[in-house]
Amino acid sequence: MRKRSNRVALCIVGAAAFTLAGCQEEQVDAQAYPDRESCEKAALSGGLLSAEDCDKAFAEAQELHVETAPRYDSLAVCEEQHGEGACGDEASATGGSGSGSIFMPLLAGYLVGNMLSNRAGAARSQPLYRTPGGGFAAPAGNTTYSSNSGKAKLGAGQFARPAATVGKPPMTRATAASRGGFGNTGRGVGG
């Protein structure tokens, strides 16, 4: 009986190690751009995307910006989270939709991931916003990047669709503080 239990324990440990190895997140080539023109310029010199893909990725980032950008109840709270001059009212930040009493960060670039293993030639993007520490973060705010331009390998999860904020109550100073502020986790991207 003793030998059998050792074998079972060894099989369980081996299976657990195999399972953990299989759970590692897929890494994808990613590039951040401060604007569409920077992506198109990089495309001409053999960048991550073609000029057409740059346009599609930028459109996706703009769409996500309108739907998922952090929203605040005052300009002061927004600027505390994103920096002075980095916010506007919802109507101006989304190109005319929304009310003037909700504030959100202005788009400060976009992050594109090349999801080649999922769909041939598919790119996914995320809008980028300034953080109070001078970095940049996507709408979820869970990872901060040192720059809004540069290349890196990132987990495919960084390109998951963030939760919608449109139509939800805007954050107050208290709710922003209770979440630890926008973009409070560090990660380097740049080049």
Side-chain angles (χ1 to χ4, degrees):
M1 184 72 173
R2 184 91 161 134
K3 287 184 182 181
R4 183 172 183 217
S5 305
N6 287 341
R7 284 187 203 140
V8 170
L10 184 58
C11 287
I12 291 172
V13 169
F18 180 73
T19 300
L20 288 175
C23 290
Q24 288 184 344
E25 186 175 23
E26 174 189 9
Q27 297 291 299
V28 298
D29 291 323
Q31 179 129 14
Y33 302 99
D35 51 41
R36 179 178 34 211
E37 293 76 24
S38 300
C39 181
E40 290 170 346
K41 185 177 177 182
L44 294 174
S45 60
L48 183 64
L49 304 174
S50 69
E52 182 181 325
D53 288 336
C54 287
D55 291 340
K56 288 177 184 176
F58 187 71
E60 180 182 14
Q62 285 183 309
E63 179 184 319
L64 285 173
H65 168 65
V66 170
E67 295 174 13
T68 66
R71 286 169 161 78
Y72 303 93
D73 68 347
S74 73
L75 180 61
V77 173
C78 185
E79 288 186 339
E80 287 171 7
Q81 298 301 311
H82 300 280
E84 189 174 329
C87 295
D89 65 38
E90 186 177 35
S92 65
T94 61
S97 63
S99 73
S101 62
I102 295 176
F103 299 86
M104 52 194 283
L106 301 173
L107 196 59
Y110 65 116
L111 182 65
V112 180
N114 191 352
M115 315 304 252
L116 286 176
S117 64
N118 293 339
R119 296 181 309 268
R124 297 289 313 264
S125 64
Q126 292 284 315
L128 291 176
Y129 307 109
R130 292 194 177 281
T131 64
F136 298 86
N142 56 358
T143 303
T144 300
Y145 306 100
S146 60
S147 176
N148 66 347
S149 64
K151 295 179 183 180
K153 287 273 193 191
L154 297 176
Q158 295 295 318
F159 299 94
R161 188 168 191 87
T165 60
V166 68
K168 304 255 167 93
M171 287 188 278
T172 63
R173 182 172 279 117
T175 55
S178 73
R179 295 176 182 207
F182 182 79
N184 60 354
T185 304
R187 180 172 188 124
V189 170

